[in-house]
Amino acid sequence: IEINVRHKPGKTFITPDNPVAIDGQKVTLKCGSNPPGYPVPQYKWWKEGVNSNLAVGSEYTIESARLNNAGRYYCQPSNDLGDGSEASIDLDVHQAPKIITPLQPTIIKRAGDSGFQITCSAHGKPKPNIRWFKDGEEILDSESAVYHISNSEQQTIENKAYNVLSTLKYNGYDRIKQTQLMHTDRGQYTCQFDNEVAKAESSMFLRIEHSPVMVPVSYTHLRAHEPLSNL
């Protein structure tokens, strides 16, 4: 024999415990209670700061999350015998870095020019980290004698993306007058933004016009690459 005891829902809970949605992707919150309640309860969902109910049912799904979906969500089950307790959960929404100000594809400068710098910016959540590379090798501001990196960040509204701006300045104590461009500055430069979601980057090729530069070549190198009559 099966005996069903009519009772209202007990303590309510929402899963997952610490939900994080990705901008543009689907996220589902699930509501339950212990004991579950009999007859089977109905569920209502609402969000802090929003007057109307969001949905009914044990699950609440956002098909394509946006940053403004972040906030505190509530759920409460009820049946003919009464209401269960209210449960709440804080939903956070993360966003992959997006380049706002990219680098120019190609820039041509002259050796001896001074005051040159390049800037790129992006936004994302959590705050993106910024890294600079020259020809695939990372430029470390704390170790470089020819570059200086300055960064700034801003989050004007809570739960919105951080705006991060970074500038690579061509100055340092290994430069003439600490500011002049050199022929060795030629190469590909990349600014890279990354956070817990993904990474984004922008690249530029810097060409340097300069007078002829003596390049030492070994005798062994010549013998391997030149006809004997040219030696």
Side-chain angles (χ1 to χ4, degrees):
I1 186 171
E2 180 178 323
I3 299 177
N4 291 318
V5 179
R6 293 166 59 87
H7 62 281
K8 70 177 184 179
K11 184 177 180 180
T12 307
F13 57 88
I14 300 174
T15 58
D17 294 333
N18 298 295
V20 176
I22 305 301
D23 183 62
Q25 297 184 19
K26 180 178 178 179
V27 61
T28 297
L29 303 176
K30 297 182 179 181
C31 185
S33 60
N34 186 22
Y38 185 82
V40 177
Q42 298 294 318
Y43 298 84
K44 65 178 180 179
W45 292 86
W46 69 98
K47 183 184 179 185
E48 188 172 71
V50 178
N51 294 327
S52 59
N53 290 335
L54 297 175
V56 294
S58 61
E59 295 186 358
Y60 174 59
T61 297
I62 302 173
E63 293 294 338
S64 181
R66 292 292 178 257
L67 293 179
N68 59 9
N69 291 130
R72 177 162 294 183
Y73 288 79
Y74 294 85
C75 172
Q76 184 179 36
S78 62
N79 61 15
D80 295 341
L81 280 79
D83 298 332
S85 61
E86 293 181 3
S88 65
I89 201 78
D90 290 319
L91 174 67
D92 199 4
V93 181
H94 289 179
Q95 182 187 67
K98 295 182 180 180
I99 301 291
I100 301 173
T101 307
L103 298 174
Q104 297 182 41
T106 303
I107 292 180
I108 301 175
K109 302 295 290 185
R110 289 187 175 184
D113 288 351
S114 61
F116 181 61
Q117 61 185 34
I118 52 178
T119 297
C120 61
S121 64
H123 64 243
K125 184 185 176 186
K127 181 183 67 178
N129 300 308
I130 173 67
R131 301 167 70 191
W132 285 92
F133 298 85
K134 179 179 185 279
D135 297 329
E137 184 174 343
E138 185 173 2
I139 299 171
L140 300 175
D141 183 65
S142 60
E143 300 177 7
S144 177
V146 291
Y147 302 106
H148 175 66
I149 299 171
S150 64
N151 300 324
S152 63
E153 62 190 57
Q154 184 180 29
Q155 187 188 35
T156 55
I157 304 175
E158 187 179 1
N159 289 326
K160 293 299 182 181
Y162 284 85
N163 292 323
V164 179
L165 182 144
S166 185
T167 300
L168 179 67
K169 299 179 181 180
Y170 290 69
N171 60 39
Y173 54 80
D174 274 2
R175 294 182 180 274
I176 299 174
K177 296 183 180 179
Q178 297 190 4
T179 61
Q180 292 189 8
L181 290 175
M182 306 176 293
H183 72 277
T184 52
D185 288 322
R186 178 187 184 276
Q188 179 167 293
Y189 292 84
T190 301
C191 63
Q192 182 186 94
F193 298 87
D194 72 271
N195 62 14
E196 298 172 9
V197 183
K199 66 175 61 175
E201 58 185 35
S202 178
S203 295
M204 172 204 79
F205 195 87
L206 176 63
R207 301 184 183 277
I208 301 292
E209 296 178 343
H210 59 89
S211 58
V213 177
M214 294 293 293
V215 179
V217 180
S218 67
Y219 179 74
T220 303
H221 176 80
L222 286 173
R223 290 186 63 87
H225 296 85
E226 295 293 332
L228 190 61
S229 58
N230 292 343
L231 297 179

